[in-house]
Amino acid sequence: NGAPPVNAPTNVSLIPQGGDTNAANVLQSGDEYLSDLDQSGTTTLANVSQDGTNLTSHVTQAGLYNGAQVTQAGSNNDSTVNQASTILSGAVVNQSGSGNSSMIDQGFIGGHQANVEQSGSDNESQVTQGGLLNSTGEYFDETASGVKQDGAHGSSSINQTGGFQTAYVEQL
């Protein structure tokens, strides 16, 4: 729901795009936020950076070779990256302080990379990737955690289907 809160400052950004080689950059700072990116085509890139208070971000991309970078900071957080019917897609989500929560779901073909860093408070993360040769975290560098949670309630669920998968989870 893209409706702004009643009687409150708000930031909203909805960017649907179609075609190949799309790029969308969103930078929001302060108050409620919402950023919903929906791109389709080949070689799409989405960058979302939000700063503080309520936050929320949804990125949905379809096609091949998608990239999503979501950076959020303080307060209620939330992020969803869903790159469907994709091959060789990458998603990085950095969240910080408060409600947290994240979900990355990438298509059924494979070759995906997902990294989630959450810090302080309620945490929770879910990564579901389909196909073969998916990686949650760096394969060659175990210090680059696929899911890294720091402080409070934690919880993580990684479900990669197919073969030749790697996953790293670090909870502090």
Side-chain angles (χ1 to χ4, degrees), residues 11-47:
N11 302 311
V12 175
S13 176
L14 303 173
I15 304 173
Q17 292 179 319
D20 295 337
T21 317
N22 293 318
N25 294 305
V26 177
L27 176 64
Q28 297 174 323
S29 183
D31 298 319
E32 277 76 37
Y33 307 113
L34 166 71
S35 183
D36 193 317
L37 298 170
D38 185 350
Q39 297 177 321
S40 62
T42 303
T43 316
T44 60
L45 177 63
N47 289 312

Side-chain angles (χ1 to χ4, degrees), residues 84-136:
S85 301
T86 61
I87 184 171
L88 301 174
S89 294
V92 176
V93 176
N94 300 317
Q95 297 183 127
S96 195
S98 202
N100 303 328
S101 181
S102 180
M103 186 193 89
I104 296 175
D105 179 0
Q106 296 178 320
F108 59 89
I109 297 173
H112 307 303
Q113 170 103 24
N115 289 297
V116 178
E117 289 186 18
Q118 296 175 318
S119 188
S121 218
D122 299 329
N123 304 325
E124 186 172 322
S125 182
Q126 180 180 342
V127 176
T128 302
Q129 297 176 319
L132 302 172
L133 298 169
N134 296 313
S135 176
T136 304

